[in-house]
Amino acid sequence: MMAALMLAVLPTEAQEQVKYSIDGISKDNGKTVVLRNRRTNLVVDSAIVANGKFSMSGNAEKDALMGVSVKNAKWSVLLFNDGTPLTINLNDSTLKGSPMNERLTRYDIDINAPYADFILKVASMSEEERKAKEIELVGGLMIATLKMQEGVKKVFKEERETLIPVAFFSDYQSMLGQEFMDSVLATKPAWASHPIVKSVLDVAAYRKAEEAKKQEIVGQQFIDLEEADPDGKMHKLSEYVGKGKWVLVDFWASWCGPCKAEMSNVVAAYDTYHDKGFDIVGLSFDNKKEPWVKDIDNLKMPWTHLSDLKGWETVAAKVYGVNSIPDNLLIDPQGKIVARGLRGQGLQDKLKEIFER
């Protein structure tokens, strides 16, 4: 969510405008077809399907990556606004236009075919079959994903001098890994200067800088703060931290899905190491008491919980520079911060290193 918002607001240079002309066919008579800019996610144009046909024309950013689809449909036909008139068949997602756009359409269909086939297979099964073949289906999904990744790698290899890789950059750059993408970008491909690529790289650089800034606190003494427990009684963080125990200060909220998904891992860490000298203090970013207290019980979190119920304006965010959650600080028995942002196996490995050495 944050990345999408940043892509929309990051400044970009004014782009040259060129004409687009799109004629198409669709079986969805009476429905609206939209032309959407994939960088800004804004609708550029729209048309109503009448007698199985629709058409749109106007001006838009030169070489902008756009998608044409029936409104609210999950699948769209991708294209670059290169000034060549287009004919689109939304019934089979094919396109006629410039050679580059025709290849883009073919790539898009071929790359997504393994996943589409997998979904059709699952959809044809009964609930009983899906449960009986759960392990097989997990393996099938992994195979489909790997095939899609290989398809995208082929695009990056074969289309260095065109814009086609731009269409897959946002969705696959993290999936393919930083090492692979760095090696691709090091060859200085023609598409690397496209606004979408620049925006994605700007977001990545911003996040890296923010993470580095957040990690600067590691090695420093904790900073005290004061918040209320669920009963309204005020407590200082120093009541629990720097008192001879290892303490995880956990930043979370009842409205935060990833926080709640991670909580079973945090509970497991508490259950394993609490008797060995490990404790947790939860600092909530909630606005309302009821859901906060309810989730403390529902998620079975037996440790200390504090909050000033100010959401993102909480004192914890200001003191520790928290701009996304889940987040946490691991603090040693003397009150020194030794790690930040431990999640999943990373949290388990760190605690094992401390308590089982």
Side-chain angles (χ1 to χ4, degrees), residues 70-344:
V70 174
K71 190 175 183 179
N72 298 325
K74 293 182 179 180
W75 179 269
S76 62
V77 177
L78 298 179
L79 60 97
F80 288 99
N81 186 32
D82 57 10
T84 303
L86 298 163
T87 301
I88 294 177
N89 184 339
L90 288 182
N91 298 325
D92 62 10
S93 299
T94 58
L95 171 153
K96 293 293 182 182
S98 67
M100 180 176 68
N101 275 326
E102 290 182 8
R103 291 203 309 281
L104 169 59
T105 303
R106 189 73 262 159
Y107 278 127
D108 200 24
I109 292 172
D110 290 346
I111 286 170
N112 283 281
Y115 181 73
D117 292 343
F118 175 79
I119 293 299
L120 285 174
K121 178 182 177 180
V122 174
S124 68
M125 294 180 173
S126 65
E127 185 65 28
E128 292 74 18
E129 284 182 290
R130 285 196 286 270
K131 288 182 179 179
K133 296 184 177 181
E134 185 174 354
I135 295 177
E136 178 186 328
L137 291 176
V138 170
L141 179 58
M142 291 179 63
I143 291 172
T145 301
L146 289 172
K147 287 181 178 179
M148 293 171 71
Q149 290 178 10
E150 288 305 310
V152 175
K153 286 183 177 180
K154 180 181 177 182
V155 170
F156 284 126
K157 180 179 179 180
E158 296 182 352
E159 299 289 344
R160 287 191 67 259
E161 301 305 319
T162 75
L163 295 176
I164 290 176
V166 172
F168 305 98
F169 188 78
S170 297
D171 292 336
Y172 284 88
Q173 56 103 11
S174 60
M175 191 183 298
L176 294 177
Q178 193 61 46
E179 184 177 350
F180 174 80
M181 294 312 307
D182 284 346
S183 68
V184 170
L185 290 167
T187 65
K188 301 187 184 304
W191 49 267
S193 61
H194 192 277
I196 284 181
V197 177
K198 287 185 174 181
S199 294
V200 172
L201 294 178
D202 284 346
V203 169
Y206 174 84
R207 283 180 162 178
K208 186 176 181 179
E210 284 293 298
E211 184 59 30
K213 184 177 179 181
K214 288 168 68 173
Q215 291 297 332
E216 289 176 0
I217 199 170
V218 174
Q220 300 180 24
Q221 284 294 112
F222 82 97
I223 303 169
D224 207 4
L225 55 81
E226 189 175 30
E227 293 186 334
D229 66 19
D231 294 324
K233 183 179 178 181
M234 299 299 293
H235 293 273
K236 289 186 175 182
L237 191 58
S238 54
E239 294 177 38
Y240 315 99
V241 176
K243 302 295 184 181
K245 288 187 176 183
W246 286 86
V247 179
L248 185 76
V249 177
D250 189 42
F251 306 111
W252 74 290
S254 65
W255 48 259
C256 171
C259 300
K260 294 165 78 168
E262 172 68 10
M263 206 54 71
S264 61
N265 181 56
V266 180
V267 170
Y270 182 87
D271 290 344
T272 301
Y273 297 108
H274 179 61
D275 291 341
K276 297 181 180 181
F278 174 64
D279 211 345
I280 300 175
V281 177
L283 300 185
S284 169
F285 281 53
D286 276 279
N287 293 97
K288 297 179 180 180
K289 180 178 178 179
E290 184 178 353
W292 171 45
V293 174
K294 183 178 180 180
D295 268 354
I296 291 173
D297 182 55
N298 289 344
L299 297 171
K300 297 179 172 54
M301 302 184 287
W303 50 83
T304 298
H305 291 275
L306 304 174
S307 181
D308 52 17
L309 298 177
K310 293 182 179 179
W312 284 110
E313 296 301 315
T314 176
V315 64
K318 298 172 183 177
V319 168
Y320 288 109
V322 182
N323 55 19
S324 64
I325 52 175
D327 193 4
N328 57 48
L329 303 170
L330 182 61
I331 304 176
D332 75 7
Q334 290 73 46
K336 184 173 75 174
I337 299 168
V338 299
R340 182 168 195 165
L342 294 171
R343 297 176 64 179

